[in-house]
Amino acid sequence: MPYLIACQLENQECRLTHGLQQKDFLHVDDAALGFLSAMEHFDHLGSYEIYNLCSGVAHTLRDVGKCLVEVSGGREEIYQWGAVAQRLGEPIRSVGDPAKFFEATGWTPRLDLDLGLRDTFHYHLRLQSEALQDSTRRAA
């Protein structure tokens, strides 16, 4: 994600795999709220049980790239899909099922891909702006 965002912010070529891998993206705020929910409902969680803290929704990396273009107002042409080989051993699909965790805690993610990417992009935009301001102050 940071690589895709950095390429959009700098309007630079982004060399990527084919982008057909499907991932289950979860915003950090939703993950944090999920951990808080686990602590609040600890008595409902089974000892030594395994729970998936995930969205349960699959998105391809190309979906992420397209959504990021819409969120950032950037250019889709910077994505060079297929320019690099897929990593050895990388699964083509990695998606969890949050049903068991939901049943135990009532937790469900609040941010979908669009809202999560919008938030993440603006976070990186603020970081870039702050870094530029810092370098301007140091140069003055």
Side-chain angles (χ1 to χ4, degrees):
M1 201 71 63
Y3 178 60
L4 295 175
I5 291 171
C7 289
Q8 283 297 341
L9 288 172
E10 301 296 327
N11 195 29
Q12 292 181 352
E13 179 181 282
C14 196
R15 297 175 49 78
L16 302 159
T17 65
H18 54 69
L20 300 176
Q21 305 92 322
Q22 295 179 345
K23 308 285 183 185
D24 187 335
F25 293 96
L26 184 66
H27 192 277
V28 66
D29 288 352
D30 281 331
L33 290 173
F35 282 111
L36 288 174
S37 184
M39 291 177 1
E40 292 169 359
H41 297 90
F42 186 75
D43 54 331
H44 295 103
L45 299 174
S47 297
Y48 304 105
E49 291 288 321
I50 296 172
Y51 296 88
N52 292 322
L53 188 59
C54 58
S55 72
V57 179
H59 294 284
T60 67
L61 299 180
R62 287 183 183 233
D63 292 338
V64 172
K66 183 177 180 178
C67 188
L68 188 54
V69 166
E70 292 169 8
V71 164
S72 68
R75 296 181 321 116
E76 195 161 354
E77 300 81 39
I78 67 168
Y79 297 134
Q80 303 299 308
W81 298 109
V84 296
Q86 183 176 338
R87 293 182 197 108
L88 284 176
E90 179 182 18
I92 195 70
R93 182 175 166 82
S94 178
V95 182
D97 180 356
K100 184 178 174 183
F101 190 70
F102 173 76
E103 288 173 23
T105 66
W107 173 89
T108 188
R110 296 180 306 149
L111 298 171
D112 63 10
L113 183 66
D114 181 63
L115 290 173
L117 277 176
R118 187 174 308 280
D119 181 68
T120 303
F121 177 76
H122 288 291
Y123 170 78
H124 282 269
L125 191 59
R126 275 193 314 275
L127 287 180
Q128 184 188 50
S129 176
E130 289 169 6
L132 183 60
Q133 289 173 0
D134 286 346
S135 66
T136 303
R137 278 192 290 263
R138 279 187 239 131

